[in-house]
Amino acid sequence: MRAIKINKSDNVAVVIANASKGECLEGLNVTLLEDVPQGHKVALVPIKKGEACIRYGVVLGFLTEDVEPGRWINEHMLKIAPSPQLSELKAGHEGVIPDYDPERKTWMGYDNGPGKFAGTRNILGISTTVQCCAGPLRAAVDRIRRTILPKYPNVDEVSALIHPYGCGVAINAPDAVIPIRSVKNLTHHPNFGNEIMLVSLGCEKLQISQVLEPDEINSDNVIVLQECDGFKGMIDSICEMAEKKLKKLNERKRVELPLSKLCVGTQCGGSDAFSGLSANPSIGYAFDLLSKGGATCLFSEVTEVRDAVYIIANRCQDDETVEKLKKEIGWYDRYLAKGEVDRAANTTPGNKKGGLSNIIEKSMGSIAKSGNGPIADVIGPAEIPTKPGTVFAATPASDIVCGPTQLASGIGLQVFSTGRGTPYSLKEIPVIKLCTRHDIRKQWPDIFDIDTGDIITGEGNFHDVGLQVYNLILDVASGKKSCAEELGIYNDLIIDNPAPIT
């Protein structure tokens, strides 16, 4: 039976398949004393009650009972270790830039002008100030797709940015800055080609002036439903404006662009014990190559990096960036405390079934998506990054919230890894899906773009698989459809709203 030991200091290894009592772990001189599920940990040495369980060279927790070599160690046997103290974080000025220099250093995208990220898709995005607009807008978009969009073959899609915000909320609460910023930045997303279209109800708390700049507020860009004549008037007004925008978008052409015009995000969902061994390090390798070439690469999920926050700090290049890191992580610590929980509430039953005993183990795998290069900056949720390179974008870990929050930060593409499997995707950008192992690819062969399982079986390596991810990112950014796009899979647009609902 093959098992993977990551760090020389580890006192556990992870089995790559369901293992039976009596099997010997290859190269580790350990015989299993009981059956062990795929992805779960096996003790390699005697570990006494109260002693540390170590994986990734990190203390995951402390044993609640004595364990002999060959025993299965699961989540019920570990007392979680404390999280790192934010006050102790300092810039380590570390970060390893890959020696490898990829041949491809450009991509084909839609240029939006100086100082702006380019688009990976050509989409008519129709934003809303409030959820109350959802019904008429959905009806209008249905008509647009059927009767108008076919006349404009250079436009990829029309997307209704319907979100659960805008009214019935404490609009002046301090934390309301996050959803308001999200709506504003989503409206101006690079894939919408500087063509603004905003649908308002008219009486909501989130006013048009909070979403658009003064020179953007006009009848060419804004429709107020309460000023329309009936439902038919609403639909007609939306469709009429949409056709004007589609005519302009149809003139857009892809051009060759440097990597500095590309902004890419990553997140993971349905993680397992292999996420940090195959898919996530492959993404990290690709991100290091992209960052080296001048692209902007966002990684996120505060609760899933909380226990690895010192790794981020060590890769920060100055004290200012570390202070931003402390601010964003500290805010989230307090946010969770208000709900009388902490970062340990993050792990799911599926995570644990897949071998992740607790949030520390999950964090060590999650952080691998960020690669090994320097951290260029830290930004708050839905902020637009201003520095190229690898950027920590503070967002919730929830897939359906992290994705739209990164979208609001301007990513034109997202790379998503999973070990348990999830059909998550977004409509406004392409999402590339990676699985951690061969058996999940066999189960869902039409959903995943890349299977990183060769790394687990020993048939592949991080360079080859990571380079495959890098090249696919450039292919998809340049127009190739991802599997999720081909299938038409996408999630609802759920923006982050930590402010009170009244």
Side-chain angles (χ1 to χ4, degrees):
M1 167 56 59
R2 186 165 184 264
I4 299 176
K5 177 182 177 181
I6 303 168
N7 189 286
K8 63 181 181 180
S9 66
D10 290 356
N11 55 14
V12 297
V14 171
V15 296
I16 69 167
N18 291 332
S20 302
K21 178 180 178 180
E23 290 191 67
C24 183
L25 301 183
E26 295 177 12
L28 296 173
N29 196 31
V30 171
T31 299
L32 299 183
L33 301 180
E34 57 188 313
D35 295 346
V36 181
Q38 181 186 53
H40 284 246
K41 294 175 288 298
V42 177
L44 301 178
V45 297
I47 310 175
K48 297 291 186 181
K49 179 179 179 180
E51 291 183 342
C53 171
I54 302 173
R55 185 185 177 210
Y56 293 105
V58 171
V59 176
L60 304 184
F62 303 96
L63 270 294
T64 57
E65 58 185 86
D66 293 345
V67 173
E68 294 300 314
R71 281 283 308 279
W72 169 26
I73 296 179
N74 58 51
E75 71 272 16
H76 305 296
M77 302 164 66
L78 292 177
K79 180 181 178 181
I80 192 169
S83 57
Q85 292 295 314
L86 298 181
S87 60
E88 299 176 0
L89 299 180
K90 296 181 180 179
H93 309 282
E94 297 177 3
V96 179
I97 300 173
D99 293 331
Y100 180 77
D101 198 19
E103 294 182 11
R104 298 177 65 183
K105 297 178 182 177
T106 62
W107 63 292
M108 301 296 293
Y110 297 98
D111 195 6
N112 288 315
K116 295 182 179 181
F117 293 124
T120 61
R121 295 295 182 267
N122 189 22
I123 294 174
L124 172 60
I126 308 177
S127 297
T128 57
T129 54
V130 66
Q131 221 282 330
C132 307
C133 301
L137 182 53
R138 285 195 179 99
V141 167
D142 179 64
R143 184 198 290 183
I144 293 167
R145 284 205 186 97
R146 288 186 291 104
T147 66
I148 304 176
L149 188 60
K151 295 189 291 183
Y152 303 98
N154 295 331
V155 181
D156 298 313
E157 180 60 280
V158 54
S159 179
L161 278 72
I162 295 170
H163 55 82
Y165 191 69
C167 209
V169 294
I171 200 72
N172 294 318
D175 292 337
V177 64
I178 294 174
I180 294 172
R181 182 167 62 210
S182 297
V183 174
K184 181 174 183 176
N185 288 345
L186 285 169
T187 302
H188 297 83
H189 190 272
N191 279 0
F192 303 155
N194 298 319
E195 292 300 325
I196 295 167
M197 189 166 171
L198 181 66
V199 179
S200 164
L201 179 59
C203 62
E204 61 270 30
K205 290 183 179 179
L206 181 60
Q207 291 291 289
I208 296 167
S209 59
Q210 294 172 285
V211 179
L212 302 184
E213 298 298 330
D215 62 341
E216 297 171 336
I217 302 174
N218 53 59
S219 59
D220 291 332
N221 297 332
V222 179
I223 292 170
V224 180
L225 296 184
Q226 289 176 347
E227 296 176 359
C228 297
D229 294 328
F231 185 73
K232 183 179 183 301
M234 298 175 191
I235 305 305
D236 289 344
S237 295
I238 293 171
C239 290
E240 181 181 346
M241 182 181 288
E243 182 141 26
K244 293 177 181 178
K245 302 291 183 180
L246 286 168
K247 286 179 181 178
K248 295 179 181 178
L249 290 172
N250 200 54
E251 299 301 315
R252 298 181 83 200
K253 305 292 183 184
R254 289 187 183 272
V255 295
E256 187 172 10
L257 295 167
L259 292 181
S260 59
K261 283 285 188 175
L262 182 62
C263 184
V264 180
T266 185
Q267 68 168 322
C268 51
S271 300
D272 68 357
F274 301 113
S275 294
L277 300 179
S278 58
N280 289 354
S282 299
I283 295 171
Y285 186 87
F287 268 37
D288 284 342
L289 294 179
L290 288 166
S291 295
K292 180 181 179 181
T296 302
C297 301
L298 308 188
F299 72 104
S300 298
E301 301 167 280
V302 172
T303 49
E304 293 185 17
V305 304
R306 179 62 180 85
D307 287 280
V309 67
Y310 59 91
I311 297 175
I312 303 176
N314 288 341
R315 290 162 54 195
C316 289
Q317 303 304 297
D318 53 60
D319 293 337
E320 180 185 359
T321 305
V322 173
E323 289 305 314
K324 290 181 183 178
L325 181 65
K326 291 179 182 180
K327 175 186 174 184
E328 296 297 340
I329 300 292
W331 179 92
Y332 218 91
D333 283 352
R334 295 188 294 275
Y335 167 71
L336 292 176
K338 288 179 184 178
E340 300 183 5
V341 297
D342 62 15
R343 91 280 196 209
N346 172 275
T347 44
T348 69
N351 294 153
K352 294 174 182 178
K353 188 174 181 180
L356 296 175
S357 293
N358 58 34
I359 189 58
I360 299 177
E361 188 170 14
K362 189 175 181 181
S363 293
M364 294 305 143
S366 180
I367 195 70
K369 301 194 302 297
S370 69
N372 296 297
I375 301 300
D377 204 0
V378 173
I379 61 173
E383 288 184 344
I384 304 293
T386 58
K387 296 180 181 179
T390 302
V391 175
F392 177 64
T395 78
S398 167
D399 301 346
I400 59 171
V401 180
C402 175
T405 307
Q406 285 192 351
L407 186 70
S409 291
I411 63 169
L413 179 150
Q414 191 179 64
V415 188
F416 187 98
S417 64
T418 182
R420 303 292 297 168
T422 168
Y424 159 91
S425 190
L426 293 169
K427 193 177 192 63
E428 295 76 21
I429 57 169
V431 176
I432 296 172
K433 305 292 287 294
L434 275 63
C435 61
T436 64
R437 48 196 170 84
H438 292 327
D439 47 347
I440 189 68
R441 174 63 175 268
K442 290 178 181 178
Q443 182 180 356
W444 287 1
D446 51 352
I447 285 181
F448 295 112
D449 299 279
I450 293 180
D451 175 5
T452 64
D454 280 352
I455 295 173
I456 301 299
T457 61
E459 302 168 279
N461 57 66
F462 294 121
H463 170 79
D464 291 343
V465 179
L467 187 58
Q468 183 185 1
V469 176
Y470 172 84
N471 284 319
L472 184 60
I473 288 172
L474 297 186
D475 286 343
V476 172
S478 299
K480 178 180 179 177
K481 285 190 175 183
S482 67
C483 289
E485 281 184 291
E486 291 282 7
L487 294 170
I489 301 172
Y490 60 92
N491 283 70
D492 295 334
L493 199 66
I494 309 299
I495 63 173
D496 184 16
N497 176 30
I501 297 176
T502 59

